[in-house]
Amino acid sequence: MLGRGLKRKLSDYEENMAGLSSAFDSSRSLPYPLKRQLVLNMCLTKLQTYKMLVEPNLHRSVLIANTVRQIQEEMRQESNQQPVNICPGITPSSHSYPGMESSGISLQLPSGISQQESSCCDLRSVEDPIENSLLIVSDDDMSSAISSILKDLDFVEDISPPTCLVPSGDDQPKFPENTGLKLEDDRQDLKGAECVFGSFEISNSTSYLKDLAIDDIFEDIDTSMYDSDFCCPPLMPPRSPSLATEEPLKTFPSCNSSSASNIQICRTDLSELDHIMEILVGS
Amino acid sequence: MSHKQAGGPAGESAADWCLYQLNGAAEFEVSEADIISTVEFNHTGELLATGDKGGRVVIFQREPESKNEPYNQGEYNVYSTFQSHEPEFDYLKSLEIEEKINKIKWLPQQNAAHSLLSTNDKTIKLWKITERDKRPEGYNLKDEEGKLKDLSTVTSLQVPVLKPMDLMVEVTPRRIFANGHTYHVNSISVNSDCETYMSADDLRINLWHLAITDRSFNIVDIKPANMEDLTEVITASEFHPHHCNLFVYSSSKGSLRLCDMRASALCDKHSKLYEEPEDPSNRSFFSEIISSVSDVKFSHSGRYMLTRDYLTVKVWDLNMETKPVETYQVHDYLRSKLCSLYENDCIFDKFECAWNGSDSVIMTGAYNNFFRMFDRNTKRDVTLEASRESSKPRAILKPRRVCVGGKRRKDDISVDSLDFTKKILHTAWHPTENIIAIAATNNLYIFQDKVNSEMH
């Protein structure tokens, strides 16, 4: 696409991408979902590249993130209207998909779901060579990619205190339902912990943490203890000499429910945690 | 504008642009630091400043007209060169701060000295440019070299006299406005009150007093509480040329906001919002990206605003918020190439735009070293090229044409042959005359309209 006079060395991947984007531009027969997938992949690739930069360009990141959100929203609407999962590319078209050039991004529903299912796989094999070079990306990946980019930009750019204690919407990794306690506080304090991590890790690690569910790390520590404000005060005084080591524990908010069984759990887990803290602090 | 016409409407004849002069090394000698990043005439047009990626500012001064050859008006010669910004390292964030000069703005001249503001991503500096062409001689206590005289040799008193010397241009940094911006500064604009100026980064706009460097007022802040909610950034801003309380800023979503500083201290609420609804027939995945406004300029009259987005330039009437009054296609043939341009990042290129002195013609750059001019009255437009091959001094520039397939005339260029690495991002128009400055990578082209030296 660049001027013919210039020779440019391309890696294989870049050559594929250049070939694909030329195909996008020149081909009117490329199916709409495929075009959309191609654009989505390009966006995510760019976001990934920007994450590796020390200082990503905020303007570009925002534009790309908006494009991803737009595509994501469209795909979400499509999948909401169709109970059966469409395979990520092809639907039979007696309706031809409007190319990008003509009427805009309209949600064209296939005429029948069963028809779609059966012919889906057939067409898929035909389109395979192209699709193989496209990544199939999930909703969560996209959301976490966008939010981690923008959050990293916040740290990188602004010294003002992180305003990360506000629980955000749907773009958080899934939290466990198992404690049966108030999850809002869980979300808040885990996100708070995450932000603390985020401030001190380089951007790659931050996204790594995001992609793991946070509870994987805390698996062997039962955080339910911290949701019970009944158990903490009575247990604290006997441990006053090591109170200093428990300062970090106070970053977790005070608990809000209690039960007898919790006290038992509290005691054993608290001593375990205490042991861990002693190791960490080196006392 | 490509053909001379005697006695056109209102006595206006088409312009013939020819190369006035060319500054800069040949292209195979380009180093990254020499790439020109901004061009700006001062208020009289006597001085022309350029900034480059290496943090240097070069000021050209126009030689006074020679009465013998009225058409051969004065050349722009180098007046001064100085290092405005140096690369810096932010230790707190472990980030390098580029020394590239993003913008230069001249202050209106108030005494014998000239002043300009230059900015990189983070720091704005006020430079004072003075001339020295006389020096005192005949000191009593010091000799010619400045050494103290032996007092015994001093037998009489004399008054030192000023004697002429070779012209020396001195540039001194008078103010350094630092630490005002967390994000990258994209524009600065001097207020018509000549006392204040504003600087805009991606998310905030600050108001400074020219004499005070340790304080600035934040007048616009669009940073959301949660960065994950960020969907829009500030791309350019400018003060109104006559009303010192009004300014406009543009966004990445293609909207303009006119703000009145009298309304409140923080101008987050706009007074007027200029937005054109999207054309559904042109909708694509890249619609938002290409709608991002890369430059906004008030007309000299103050009645209109000019905006540049990726494919068009638009003229907006301050009194009409719903749509622009005029839209000009700069290179619509790129509309079908958007995916490729997105892939190679060209879609993010930020082109500037410019008015001529009488607000009748607008100009903007494009690819392949092309630049475009649109005459608002005749509705004619022209594409010209800034390149060594096509510009012989004093020869008239030949209009260029890009063909999109179909009939191809001789000398046409096809869309696929365009060189996207040769982009004209920065252009400037003399405030009163038909002289334009075009920055093409490291080269500065100055073109003059041979036919009409004065503007219509």
Side-chain angles (χ1 to χ4, degrees):
Chain A
M1 187 54 208
L2 290 185
R4 295 275 166 79
L6 284 176
K7 272 202 174 174
R8 189 168 83 116
K9 280 204 160 81
L10 295 176
S11 67
D12 280 346
Y13 172 74
E14 280 182 19
E15 271 175 359
N16 284 342
M17 286 309 293
L20 284 172
S21 48
S22 304
F24 181 110
D25 285 327
S26 50
S27 162
R28 284 170 189 274
S29 59
L30 216 56
Y32 176 82
L34 204 60
K35 285 189 174 184
R36 181 174 62 194
Q37 192 67 44
L38 170 63
V39 174
L40 187 59
N41 295 338
M42 283 167 60
C43 289
L44 292 173
T45 311
K46 281 188 193 290
L47 287 177
Q48 281 297 114
T49 317
Y50 293 168
K51 266 169 69 168
M52 299 199 277
L53 293 176
V54 182
E55 204 179 8
N57 183 316
L58 184 61
H59 179 224
R60 287 192 194 187
S61 305
V62 166
L63 287 176
I64 297 173
N66 287 350
T67 308
V68 171
R69 283 197 191 109
Q70 178 194 308
I71 294 177
Q72 200 180 350
E73 185 55 37
E74 191 186 298
M75 288 167 79
R76 198 177 284 156
Q77 280 182 11
E78 267 180 14
S79 63
N80 284 344
Q81 285 161 359
Q82 293 162 11
V84 177
N85 235 358
I86 318 174
C87 69
I90 328 299
T91 50
S93 46
S94 42
H95 337 274
S96 58
Y97 279 89
M100 285 304 93
E101 299 81 3
S102 48
S103 67
I105 302 174
S106 55
L107 298 177
Q108 289 238 338
L109 301 179
S111 44
I113 295 171
S114 52
Q115 180 189 6
Q116 181 200 333
E117 266 183 77
S118 55
S119 37
C120 182
C121 301
D122 294 335
L123 287 169
R124 197 191 170 145
S125 55
V126 170
E127 297 293 326
D128 251 355
I130 298 178
E131 281 202 41
N132 282 341
S133 57
L134 301 176
L135 315 159
I136 311 295
V137 180
S138 75
D139 242 17
D140 282 337
D141 285 352
M142 287 193 278
S143 303
S144 59
I146 300 174
S147 30
S148 69
I149 287 266
L150 290 172
K151 213 196 332 244
D152 294 342
L153 283 167
D154 190 13
F155 160 65
V156 165
E157 296 287 0
D158 209 351
I159 313 177
S160 58
T163 53
C164 51
L165 294 175
V166 178
S168 62
D170 57 346
D171 47 15
Q172 289 302 310
K174 298 176 182 43
F175 288 94
E177 307 280 329
N178 54 9
T179 59
L181 301 167
K182 283 193 185 165
L183 289 167
E184 283 307 317
D185 293 336
D186 253 335
R187 262 199 203 119
Q188 280 201 6
D189 53 349
L190 282 172
K191 188 144 188 246
E194 191 187 329
C195 282
V196 169
F197 282 115
S199 303
F200 295 102
E201 309 257 14
I202 53 178
S203 47
N204 289 338
S205 319
T206 310
S207 70
Y208 167 69
L209 282 171
K210 249 191 133 51
D211 294 342
L212 301 177
I214 286 294
D215 13 288
D216 287 347
I217 302 171
F218 294 122
E219 228 169 8
D220 48 359
I221 302 172
D222 182 3
T223 54
S224 61
M225 168 174 66
Y226 297 101
D227 301 318
S228 143
D229 61 357
F230 174 82
C231 70
C232 285
L235 289 171
M236 295 286 258
R239 303 198 177 280
S240 42
S242 49
L243 208 58
T245 65
E246 275 153 341
E247 285 303 313
L249 304 181
K250 289 180 185 161
T251 58
F252 293 89
S254 55
C255 324
N256 46 34
S257 75
S258 59
S259 70
S261 56
N262 270 349
I263 302 176
Q264 304 302 334
I265 302 168
C266 278
R267 279 212 185 104
T268 46
D269 288 345
L270 190 56
S271 61
E272 254 182 42
L273 190 61
D274 209 35
H275 178 62
I276 294 171
M277 283 310 305
E278 276 171 15
I279 295 171
L280 286 173
V281 170
S283 58
Chain B
M1 281 184 97
S2 52
H3 301 286
K4 258 199 234 186
Q5 279 183 6
E12 192 174 335
S13 51
D16 282 328
W17 292 94
C18 63
L19 178 63
Y20 204 39
Q21 63 187 83
L22 167 58
N23 292 73
E27 272 157 29
F28 51 83
E29 296 164 22
V30 178
S31 78
E32 179 104 356
D34 293 330
I35 296 176
I36 298 173
S37 49
T38 186
V39 186
E40 188 83 4
F41 280 100
N42 77 336
H43 296 273
T44 58
E46 183 210 350
L47 298 175
L48 174 64
T50 63
D52 65 22
K53 265 191 149 180
R56 285 172 307 225
V57 172
V58 180
I59 303 178
F60 298 84
Q61 185 190 41
R62 197 172 185 201
E63 293 305 309
E65 288 180 28
S66 109
K67 295 205 172 20
N68 302 327
E69 297 169 82
Y71 286 113
N72 190 14
Q73 279 140 339
E75 279 194 346
Y76 280 90
N77 295 325
V78 176
Y79 180 61
S80 171
T81 305
F82 61 96
Q83 187 75 33
S84 168
H85 286 73
E86 297 275 2
E88 280 170 44
F89 194 75
D90 182 335
Y91 297 98
L92 185 64
K93 299 172 199 163
S94 291
L95 292 174
E96 245 190 48
I97 301 173
E98 260 192 13
E99 68 275 29
K100 171 167 80 93
I101 308 294
N102 292 339
K103 281 285 177 333
I104 291 175
K105 284 282 147 76
W106 290 92
L107 268 56
Q109 193 178 7
Q110 287 172 331
N111 49 37
H114 296 276
S115 301
L116 59 78
L117 288 169
S118 68
T119 185
N120 68 348
D121 284 338
K122 298 284 183 183
T123 306
I124 305 125
K125 296 187 183 180
L126 175 65
W127 294 91
K128 188 161 157 189
I129 302 130
T130 47
E131 287 184 6
R132 192 197 289 263
D133 60 355
K134 298 182 185 52
R135 58 174 215 170
E137 279 180 17
Y139 284 108
N140 288 296
L141 299 178
K142 282 191 273 188
D143 67 15
E144 295 308 313
E145 282 92 52
K147 286 193 296 200
L148 284 174
K149 283 185 191 169
D150 180 3
L151 282 180
S152 57
T153 62
V154 179
T155 51
S156 62
L157 282 180
Q158 59 185 352
V159 177
V161 290
L162 288 176
K163 295 239 173 100
M165 60 179 258
D166 291 339
L167 178 66
M168 205 163 74
V169 179
E170 295 175 335
V171 182
T172 47
R174 297 309 300 256
R175 306 268 188 273
I176 297 182
F177 304 91
N179 302 318
H181 288 280
T182 308
Y183 301 93
H184 289 188
V185 175
N186 53 50
S187 36
I188 49 176
S189 176
V190 183
N191 202 342
S192 50
D193 66 7
C194 302
E195 282 187 2
T196 56
Y197 76 96
M198 71 167 165
S199 56
D201 66 31
D202 291 318
L203 298 180
R204 299 188 177 107
I205 302 182
N206 291 339
L207 181 71
W208 303 81
H209 192 285
L210 283 165
I212 299 171
T213 58
D214 62 354
R215 259 172 297 159
S216 84
F217 290 102
N218 176 243
I219 52 177
V220 173
D221 188 342
I222 64 168
K223 183 175 186 227
N226 193 343
M227 274 293 267
E228 292 169 15
D229 299 332
L230 181 64
T231 56
E232 198 172 8
V233 299
I234 298 171
T235 51
S237 68
E238 200 183 40
F239 268 118
H240 191 280
H242 308 308
H243 302 299
C244 57
N245 55 301
L246 289 180
F247 66 93
V248 68
Y249 71 90
S250 61
S251 84
S252 56
K253 286 201 168 167
S255 62
L256 298 171
R257 286 173 173 81
L258 187 71
C259 300
D260 189 332
M261 295 198 291
R262 296 171 303 188
S264 69
L266 189 61
C267 299
D268 277 356
K269 289 208 179 83
H270 49 264
S271 296
K272 284 186 191 272
L273 171 65
Y274 301 83
E275 223 172 8
E276 184 179 24
E278 200 184 342
D279 178 3
S281 63
N282 273 334
R283 184 101 173 79
S284 79
F285 294 119
F286 309 105
S287 291
E288 182 173 325
I289 297 179
I290 63 171
S291 72
S292 175
V293 174
S294 53
D295 194 17
V296 63
K297 293 262 165 56
F298 277 103
S299 64
H300 292 87
S301 62
R303 167 97 190 268
Y304 299 100
M305 297 180 292
L306 181 65
T307 59
R308 174 71 155 98
D309 52 60
Y310 192 61
L311 296 179
T312 68
V313 277
K314 296 178 179 168
V315 177
W316 300 78
D317 186 321
L318 249 62
N319 301 313
M320 181 149 71
E321 300 170 72
T322 50
K323 59 183 170 108
V325 289
E326 294 156 34
T327 301
Y328 301 94
Q329 302 294 331
V330 180
H331 37 206
D332 201 53
Y333 44 78
L334 296 184
R335 200 177 285 277
S336 55
K337 307 280 180 195
L338 290 179
C339 193
S340 311
L341 293 165
Y342 177 62
E343 191 257 318
N344 61 23
D345 279 349
C346 281
I347 208 173
F348 299 111
D349 286 334
K350 295 188 188 174
F351 293 95
E352 292 171 9
C353 52
W355 296 90
N356 73 343
S358 59
D359 298 335
S360 58
V361 183
I362 54 189
M363 167 172 71
T364 189
Y367 292 109
N368 210 75
N369 281 346
F370 288 168
F371 58 99
R372 304 260 284 138
M373 290 189 202
F374 303 91
D375 189 316
R376 296 176 62 212
N377 300 323
T378 65
K379 299 300 179 199
R380 286 206 292 251
D381 62 85
V382 69
T383 306
L384 299 171
E385 183 178 357
S387 72
R388 282 165 193 276
E389 299 77 38
S390 60
S391 319
K392 306 294 173 219
R394 312 292 182 244
I396 296 172
L397 282 183
K398 202 173 46 170
R400 305 307 309 268
R401 226 175 76 106
V402 178
C403 70
V404 204
K407 273 189 281 189
R408 195 190 146 156
R409 293 189 223 155
K410 180 187 160 231
D411 288 342
D412 278 5
I413 294 205
S414 82
V415 185
D416 296 312
S417 311
L418 292 174
D419 188 344
F420 289 88
T421 61
K422 297 196 175 151
K423 31 195 124 180
I424 308 265
L425 302 173
H426 312 288
T427 59
W429 205 309
H430 190 287
T432 51
E433 295 182 35
N434 274 351
I435 301 177
I436 55 179
I438 310 280
T441 328
N442 65 319
N443 291 311
L444 178 70
Y445 290 83
I446 301 179
F447 295 102
Q448 185 198 14
D449 176 4
K450 237 181 179 178
V451 175
N452 309 304
S453 49
E454 297 306 314
M455 225 156 267
H456 293 294

